[in-house]
Amino acid sequence: AFTLSEADAQRLLDGGTPVLRFAKGLERDVTVKIVSVSPVEDGERAIVVSCDRYLAQIPQLRRQTASLLLDSYEGLRIPANALRLNEEGRSGVYCMVGMFARFKAVDVVYQGDGYTLVRAAEDATGSRILRPGDEVIISAGELYDGKVMQ
């Protein structure tokens, strides 16, 4: 059981699938079902959830702290200042490929405080696909595709 603000509770009730991430004792997220929802009181609602799986580690702890995940995003995390527009106005990042700066187009998945989650652009091919481990250029003077870097 937990309480949520009226706005967050409504997001959950409007079709969200509640997922809990336990602070300790369990290494994975758990999808749960909403059992009951209280009326709004002081701008909050009490939510009771249930899981149809037996989680042996949880009952032993008597009291457990968990976070409710309302949204989930996947992508490569880059510093916000690494995201640039190329000559055609396309979003992407410049990466070191050998001694050269190469532009790799990306689609923005989510923007956070000081970082951006991106994925390789749908139409990217070959060496133009952003991959984990690529050396992203964060700050430099004027960048262009093929610029020799030192």
Side-chain angles (χ1 to χ4, degrees):
F2 50 88
T3 59
L4 283 178
S5 70
E6 186 176 0
D8 284 342
Q10 195 57 50
R11 281 178 56 200
L12 192 61
L13 296 172
D14 286 344
T17 302
V19 176
L20 296 179
R21 179 171 293 159
F22 290 93
K24 57 184 171 182
L26 196 61
E27 306 293 317
R28 60 185 163 85
D29 297 341
V30 178
T31 303
V32 294
K33 294 179 182 134
I34 298 173
V35 175
S36 74
V37 180
S38 74
V40 177
E41 188 175 312
D42 295 329
E44 292 189 328
R45 288 179 179 239
I47 312 279
V48 177
V49 296
S50 173
C51 178
D52 60 1
R53 299 175 120 174
Y54 178 69
L55 305 170
Q57 304 90 329
I58 301 304
Q60 299 170 13
L61 299 173
R62 183 132 179 104
R63 185 174 179 94
Q64 176 65 276
T65 301
S67 299
L68 175 68
L69 306 179
L70 292 174
D71 295 308
S72 177
Y73 303 96
E74 280 189 37
L76 296 174
R77 184 176 169 144
I78 62 167
N81 60 342
L83 190 64
R84 301 179 184 263
L85 296 176
N86 69 357
E87 300 82 32
E88 294 100 36
R90 188 95 192 259
S91 292
V93 294
Y94 285 94
C95 295
M96 288 293 298
V97 178
M99 291 180 47
F100 302 98
R102 291 282 183 231
F103 184 79
K104 297 187 178 196
V106 298
D107 295 326
V108 175
V109 175
Y110 177 81
Q111 291 188 313
D113 186 26
Y115 70 93
T116 303
L117 285 181
V118 299
R119 65 173 170 256
E122 296 277 331
D123 59 348
T125 59
S127 65
R128 299 294 179 161
I129 297 174
L130 182 65
R131 293 183 169 87
D134 281 351
E135 187 176 346
V136 175
I137 300 170
I138 297 172
S139 60
E142 186 178 323
L143 283 174
Y144 56 87
D145 198 45
K147 180 177 182 177
V148 177
M149 304 295 287
Q150 295 182 14

